[in-house]
Amino acid sequence: MNMQMRELGDSGLAVSAIGFGCMGLNYHRGPAPERREMIALVRAAVERGVTFFDTAEVYGPFTNEELVGEALEPFRKGVVIATKFGHDLGPADARRSGGLDSRPERVRQAAEGSLKRLRVETIELFYQHRVDPDVPIEDVAGAVKDLIAEGKVRHFGLSEAGASTIRRAHAVQPVAAIQSEYSFWWRQPETEVLPACEELGIGFVPFSPLGRGFLTGQIDETTSFGGNDNRAGLPRFTPEARKANRPVVDLLAQIGAQKRATPAQIALAWLLAQRSWIVPIPGTTKLGRLDENIAAAAVALTPDDIRHIDAAVAQITITGDRYPQAEAARTQR
């Protein structure tokens, strides 16, 4: 496939228009598939033109980075691997309250570990996973700035940060990308974060662009979630919420029928149409779904299509919060 490329804001960081969220390869999405199969899937993504892969030290912890590092080692000069720091992954009896740790010494320790697990000499994009309320964001940005000066990191990013935090960090070390949940059924970034990104020349990377699988149309109120699948504990994924939110999928299917596309492809095409510097990172463990996601880049939605879609979405009330209260409190701050 002739994959389109996009630049994340003014950073100069060019990546495929559709990235690959690697978390679900062995973490938080049910029983982990066979490792060799997931390595083969990641390599199949590269062969199809995907150059942007997202992981984090906390996924596993550590095992997702190890898998991604092994899978991409033969291609490391042609791909961009993003990873994240910021969780306290020390001994259980010594962890900081809240489970977060972005002290400068911890940032450096996280970078050294990720470099080894990813089998790279430089981390292309290094995100703070969640804003640590106990560490000034200026100190975090300064720590990453030092790593950039040493050649261990190339670009700095933030995940689920609010607009004021983004501005403060950017003043110390230019932020290349913001990663936050953004999709057809979660549009909060449109209020403050996307305008800040546009003003500052920062790229935006939506995670869960398919609503953790719900927007594909393959999940309904009868779907069960097994162990290692965090959706079982999310308010938006109770059976009642899934049933109530079905109109969102029906709308995607209706538009898809007109465009000869699947609901998932419409959801991704809608994101791509929002800004030229938005790069969604859908995840999957299946080759067929990978091909479906990649093909979304070829689905063209006109401005009239977007206006029609937005008007229709405005008539739908989404049921259920995306996170439990404690987890939600860690976002947009």
Side-chain angles (χ1 to χ4, degrees):
M1 297 182 182
N2 185 20
M3 173 64 76
Q4 303 170 25
M5 300 294 288
R6 291 192 164 199
E7 189 169 308
L8 289 173
D10 298 336
S11 66
L13 183 57
V15 296
S16 53
I18 300 287
F20 194 122
C22 298
M23 182 190 77
L25 296 175
N26 68 349
Y27 182 70
H28 260 358
R29 283 297 178 267
E34 208 282 323
R35 179 185 174 88
R36 286 178 298 177
E37 293 177 3
M38 295 303 94
I39 288 174
L41 181 68
V42 171
R43 291 175 177 175
V46 177
E47 293 166 357
R48 286 157 170 76
V50 176
T51 69
F52 190 33
F53 296 85
D54 182 89
T55 182
E57 64 167 1
V58 77
Y59 300 160
F62 310 129
T63 57
N64 196 260
E65 283 187 323
E66 292 168 352
L67 188 157
V68 171
E70 181 178 349
L72 293 176
E73 187 172 24
F75 313 101
R76 58 187 175 189
K77 291 185 178 180
V79 299
V80 170
I81 304 176
T83 193
K84 311 177 202 71
F85 65 88
H87 285 86
D88 187 347
L89 300 177
D93 60 355
R95 289 178 186 168
R96 301 174 71 216
S97 176
L100 299 175
D101 190 351
S102 282
R103 292 173 297 170
E105 61 268 30
R106 174 69 183 107
V107 175
R108 178 171 292 277
Q109 180 189 48
E112 297 291 355
S114 292
L115 285 166
K116 292 177 182 177
R117 290 185 291 273
L118 294 173
R119 308 185 187 192
V120 297
E121 295 180 357
T122 303
I123 298 169
E124 290 289 337
L125 179 55
F126 201 37
Y127 293 105
Q128 183 189 37
H129 207 152
R130 292 291 185 272
V131 174
D132 187 339
D134 296 329
V135 181
I137 194 62
E138 291 83 358
D139 292 354
V140 177
V144 177
K145 183 175 184 177
D146 290 343
L147 292 168
I148 291 173
E150 295 168 20
K152 294 181 179 180
V153 170
R154 203 172 311 277
H155 297 282
F156 176 37
L158 298 171
S159 179
E160 294 276 42
S164 63
T165 299
I166 294 167
R167 294 179 189 280
R168 288 166 54 201
H170 191 73
V172 176
Q173 168 59 45
V175 176
I178 301 299
Q179 181 181 129
S180 290
E181 184 171 353
Y182 181 38
S183 70
F184 212 68
W185 74 343
W186 180 257
R187 299 178 61 170
Q188 187 184 54
E190 295 174 350
T191 304
E192 294 183 351
V193 171
L194 285 180
C197 288
E198 190 153 32
E199 175 190 340
L200 299 172
I202 299 172
F204 190 85
V205 178
F207 73 78
S208 296
L210 299 177
R212 295 178 172 83
F214 186 79
L215 301 182
T216 66
Q218 302 301 308
I219 295 174
D220 61 22
E221 65 271 22
T222 68
T223 304
S224 60
F225 302 109
N228 190 37
D229 195 323
N230 71 334
R231 290 176 291 188
L234 301 180
R236 194 163 287 187
F237 277 85
T238 65
E240 297 77 14
R242 282 179 268 153
K243 183 176 181 179
N245 291 327
R246 188 68 194 184
V248 178
V249 177
D250 294 340
L251 176 59
L252 287 168
Q254 175 189 345
I255 301 163
Q258 299 168 3
K259 295 289 184 178
R260 296 185 179 180
T262 67
Q265 288 170 338
I266 296 299
L268 292 172
W270 178 85
L271 281 170
L272 292 170
Q274 300 305 306
R275 304 287 197 286
S276 62
W277 35 266
I278 287 179
V279 178
I281 49 169
T284 186
T285 59
K286 298 178 175 63
L287 183 61
R289 293 294 180 198
L290 172 65
D291 287 336
E292 179 182 357
N293 293 342
I294 291 172
V299 177
L301 296 178
T302 67
D304 283 343
D305 291 331
I306 297 298
R307 283 191 288 270
H308 167 71
I309 291 169
D310 288 349
V313 171
Q315 304 302 311
I316 300 173
T317 299
I318 303 300
T319 298
D321 294 332
R322 64 176 182 139
Y323 285 135
Q325 186 174 359
E327 180 64 21
R330 296 185 177 188
T331 68
Q332 301 299 309
R333 61 188 180 188

